[in-house]
Short mmCIF file of all heavy atoms in Angstrom, two decimals:
data_model
loop_
_atom_site.label_atom_id
_atom_site.label_comp_id
_atom_site.label_asym_id
_atom_site.label_seq_id
_atom_site.Cartn_x
_atom_site.Cartn_y
_atom_site.Cartn_z
N LEU B 73 1.54 34.60 7.12
CA LEU B 73 2.72 34.32 6.28
C LEU B 73 2.89 32.80 6.08
O LEU B 73 3.24 32.34 5.03
CB LEU B 73 3.97 34.91 6.93
CG LEU B 73 4.15 36.42 6.98
CD1 LEU B 73 5.48 36.80 7.59
CD2 LEU B 73 4.00 37.00 5.55
N ALA B 74 2.65 32.10 7.20
CA ALA B 74 2.76 30.62 7.10
C ALA B 74 1.85 30.04 6.07
O ALA B 74 2.21 29.26 5.25
CB ALA B 74 2.54 30.00 8.51
N SER B 75 0.55 30.47 6.11
CA SER B 75 -0.39 29.90 5.16
C SER B 75 0.00 30.24 3.75
O SER B 75 -0.09 29.34 2.86
CB SER B 75 -1.78 30.57 5.42
OG SER B 75 -2.07 30.54 6.77
N ARG B 76 0.42 31.47 3.51
CA ARG B 76 0.76 31.87 2.15
C ARG B 76 1.95 31.07 1.62
O ARG B 76 2.07 30.70 0.46
CB ARG B 76 1.06 33.34 2.07
CG ARG B 76 -0.24 34.13 2.14
CD ARG B 76 0.02 35.62 2.32
NE ARG B 76 -1.24 36.24 2.61
CZ ARG B 76 -1.93 37.04 1.70
NH1 ARG B 76 -1.44 37.21 0.54
NH2 ARG B 76 -3.09 37.53 2.03
N GLU B 77 2.92 30.83 2.53
CA GLU B 77 4.11 30.08 2.15
C GLU B 77 3.76 28.62 1.83
O GLU B 77 4.27 28.03 0.87
CB GLU B 77 5.13 30.18 3.31
CG GLU B 77 6.53 29.81 2.95
CD GLU B 77 7.20 30.76 1.95
OE1 GLU B 77 6.60 31.71 1.46
OE2 GLU B 77 8.39 30.44 1.62
N HIS B 78 2.87 28.04 2.61
CA HIS B 78 2.35 26.66 2.37
C HIS B 78 1.73 26.61 0.98
O HIS B 78 1.96 25.69 0.21
CB HIS B 78 1.36 26.18 3.41
CG HIS B 78 1.96 25.86 4.71
ND1 HIS B 78 3.04 25.04 4.93
CD2 HIS B 78 1.59 26.30 5.94
CE1 HIS B 78 3.34 24.94 6.18
NE2 HIS B 78 2.47 25.72 6.86
N GLU B 79 0.90 27.62 0.72
CA GLU B 79 0.18 27.65 -0.58
C GLU B 79 1.12 27.75 -1.73
O GLU B 79 0.99 27.08 -2.76
CB GLU B 79 -0.80 28.86 -0.54
CG GLU B 79 -1.88 28.70 -1.51
CD GLU B 79 -2.71 29.96 -1.57
OE1 GLU B 79 -2.46 30.89 -0.80
OE2 GLU B 79 -3.70 29.99 -2.37
N ARG B 80 2.23 28.49 -1.55
CA ARG B 80 3.22 28.66 -2.62
C ARG B 80 3.95 27.35 -2.88
O ARG B 80 4.32 27.06 -4.02
CB ARG B 80 4.22 29.77 -2.19
CG ARG B 80 5.15 30.30 -3.24
CD ARG B 80 5.98 31.46 -2.73
NE ARG B 80 6.97 31.05 -1.75
CZ ARG B 80 8.14 30.49 -2.04
NH1 ARG B 80 8.45 30.19 -3.29
NH2 ARG B 80 8.95 30.17 -1.05
N LEU B 81 4.21 26.60 -1.83
CA LEU B 81 5.07 25.42 -1.95
C LEU B 81 4.41 24.07 -2.10
O LEU B 81 5.00 23.07 -2.51
CB LEU B 81 6.02 25.35 -0.70
CG LEU B 81 7.11 26.41 -0.62
CD1 LEU B 81 7.86 26.27 0.69
CD2 LEU B 81 8.04 26.27 -1.80
N ILE B 82 3.11 23.97 -1.72
CA ILE B 82 2.50 22.66 -1.60
C ILE B 82 2.60 21.79 -2.80
O ILE B 82 2.95 20.58 -2.70
CB ILE B 82 1.01 22.82 -1.02
CG1 ILE B 82 0.43 21.45 -0.68
CG2 ILE B 82 0.12 23.53 -2.07
CD1 ILE B 82 0.90 20.93 0.64
N VAL B 83 2.35 22.34 -3.98
CA VAL B 83 2.37 21.53 -5.21
C VAL B 83 3.77 20.94 -5.44
O VAL B 83 3.95 19.75 -5.67
CB VAL B 83 1.85 22.34 -6.40
CG1 VAL B 83 2.06 21.52 -7.70
CG2 VAL B 83 0.41 22.72 -6.27
N SER B 84 4.78 21.83 -5.33
CA SER B 84 6.11 21.34 -5.69
C SER B 84 6.64 20.37 -4.60
O SER B 84 7.36 19.39 -4.97
CB SER B 84 7.07 22.52 -5.85
OG SER B 84 7.15 23.29 -4.70
N ILE B 85 6.26 20.54 -3.37
CA ILE B 85 6.71 19.64 -2.31
C ILE B 85 6.10 18.24 -2.49
O ILE B 85 6.75 17.22 -2.41
CB ILE B 85 6.39 20.16 -0.92
CG1 ILE B 85 7.16 21.48 -0.63
CG2 ILE B 85 6.65 19.15 0.17
CD1 ILE B 85 8.64 21.37 -0.41
N VAL B 86 4.80 18.22 -2.79
CA VAL B 86 4.12 16.95 -3.03
C VAL B 86 4.67 16.25 -4.28
O VAL B 86 4.96 15.09 -4.27
CB VAL B 86 2.54 17.16 -3.17
CG1 VAL B 86 1.90 15.90 -3.67
CG2 VAL B 86 1.98 17.61 -1.84
N GLU B 87 4.92 17.02 -5.32
CA GLU B 87 5.50 16.44 -6.54
C GLU B 87 6.87 15.87 -6.25
O GLU B 87 7.23 14.76 -6.68
CB GLU B 87 5.54 17.43 -7.69
CG GLU B 87 4.21 17.53 -8.35
CD GLU B 87 4.16 18.50 -9.52
OE1 GLU B 87 5.06 19.35 -9.62
OE2 GLU B 87 3.15 18.40 -10.30
N ALA B 88 7.67 16.58 -5.47
CA ALA B 88 9.05 16.13 -5.14
C ALA B 88 8.96 14.81 -4.35
O ALA B 88 9.74 13.88 -4.59
CB ALA B 88 9.76 17.21 -4.34
N ALA B 89 7.99 14.71 -3.38
CA ALA B 89 7.90 13.54 -2.59
C ALA B 89 7.48 12.33 -3.47
O ALA B 89 7.99 11.19 -3.31
CB ALA B 89 6.88 13.70 -1.47
N ILE B 90 6.60 12.51 -4.38
CA ILE B 90 6.14 11.39 -5.29
C ILE B 90 7.26 10.99 -6.20
O ILE B 90 7.56 9.81 -6.40
CB ILE B 90 4.92 11.83 -6.05
CG1 ILE B 90 3.70 12.01 -5.07
CG2 ILE B 90 4.53 10.82 -7.12
CD1 ILE B 90 2.44 12.61 -5.69
N THR B 91 8.02 11.99 -6.76
CA THR B 91 9.14 11.69 -7.64
C THR B 91 10.21 10.91 -6.91
O THR B 91 10.74 9.91 -7.39
CB THR B 91 9.74 13.03 -8.22
OG1 THR B 91 8.66 13.75 -8.82
CG2 THR B 91 10.80 12.78 -9.23
N GLU B 92 10.58 11.39 -5.69
CA GLU B 92 11.62 10.76 -4.96
C GLU B 92 11.26 9.34 -4.55
O GLU B 92 12.09 8.46 -4.44
CB GLU B 92 11.86 11.59 -3.65
CG GLU B 92 13.30 11.45 -3.15
CD GLU B 92 13.48 12.26 -1.87
OE1 GLU B 92 13.47 13.55 -1.99
OE2 GLU B 92 13.61 11.70 -0.81
N ALA B 93 9.93 9.11 -4.37
CA ALA B 93 9.51 7.74 -4.00
C ALA B 93 9.48 6.81 -5.20
O ALA B 93 9.32 5.60 -5.09
CB ALA B 93 8.09 7.82 -3.39
N ASN B 94 9.66 7.47 -6.37
CA ASN B 94 9.75 6.69 -7.62
C ASN B 94 8.44 5.89 -7.95
O ASN B 94 8.47 4.70 -8.34
CB ASN B 94 10.90 5.78 -7.57
CG ASN B 94 11.49 5.48 -8.93
OD1 ASN B 94 11.10 6.12 -9.89
ND2 ASN B 94 12.40 4.50 -9.02
N ILE B 95 7.35 6.56 -7.70
CA ILE B 95 6.03 5.93 -8.04
C ILE B 95 5.23 6.94 -8.89
O ILE B 95 5.54 8.12 -8.97
CB ILE B 95 5.20 5.53 -6.78
CG1 ILE B 95 4.88 6.79 -5.95
CG2 ILE B 95 5.88 4.51 -5.93
CD1 ILE B 95 3.78 6.58 -4.95
N ALA B 96 4.13 6.45 -9.48
CA ALA B 96 3.26 7.33 -10.27
C ALA B 96 2.11 7.79 -9.35
O ALA B 96 1.77 7.09 -8.44
CB ALA B 96 2.70 6.61 -11.47
N LYS B 97 1.55 8.94 -9.63
CA LYS B 97 0.40 9.47 -8.82
C LYS B 97 -0.65 8.44 -8.69
O LYS B 97 -1.24 8.26 -7.61
CB LYS B 97 -0.17 10.72 -9.48
CG LYS B 97 0.52 11.99 -9.02
CD LYS B 97 -0.26 13.19 -9.53
CE LYS B 97 0.57 14.42 -9.64
NZ LYS B 97 1.53 14.51 -10.75
N ASN B 98 -0.91 7.70 -9.76
CA ASN B 98 -2.02 6.74 -9.76
C ASN B 98 -1.73 5.53 -8.88
O ASN B 98 -2.60 4.73 -8.59
CB ASN B 98 -2.39 6.30 -11.18
CG ASN B 98 -3.30 7.39 -11.78
OD1 ASN B 98 -4.17 7.97 -11.11
ND2 ASN B 98 -3.10 7.64 -13.10
N ASP B 99 -0.44 5.34 -8.52
CA ASP B 99 -0.08 4.22 -7.59
C ASP B 99 -0.33 4.54 -6.16
O ASP B 99 -0.15 3.67 -5.27
CB ASP B 99 1.38 3.86 -7.80
CG ASP B 99 1.64 3.26 -9.20
OD1 ASP B 99 0.65 2.80 -9.79
OD2 ASP B 99 2.78 3.35 -9.71
N LEU B 100 -0.75 5.78 -5.88
CA LEU B 100 -1.06 6.13 -4.47
C LEU B 100 -2.36 5.46 -4.12
O LEU B 100 -3.33 5.47 -4.87
CB LEU B 100 -1.18 7.65 -4.29
CG LEU B 100 0.07 8.48 -4.47
CD1 LEU B 100 -0.27 9.99 -4.54
CD2 LEU B 100 1.04 8.19 -3.32
N ASP B 101 -2.40 4.79 -2.95
CA ASP B 101 -3.62 4.13 -2.50
C ASP B 101 -4.43 4.94 -1.55
O ASP B 101 -5.63 4.82 -1.41
CB ASP B 101 -3.26 2.76 -1.85
CG ASP B 101 -2.54 1.86 -2.80
OD1 ASP B 101 -3.15 1.48 -3.86
OD2 ASP B 101 -1.35 1.56 -2.53
#
Side-chain angles (χ1 to χ4, degrees):
L73 290 183
S75 314
R76 285 169 189 256
E77 197 64 1
H78 287 310
E79 200 184 1
R80 192 174 69 77
L81 289 175
I82 188 78
V83 173
S84 58
I85 296 287
V86 168
E87 278 181 344
I90 293 172
T91 306
E92 207 180 292
N94 210 9
I95 60 163
K97 273 190 202 75
N98 279 324
D99 293 336
L100 292 170
D101 300 299

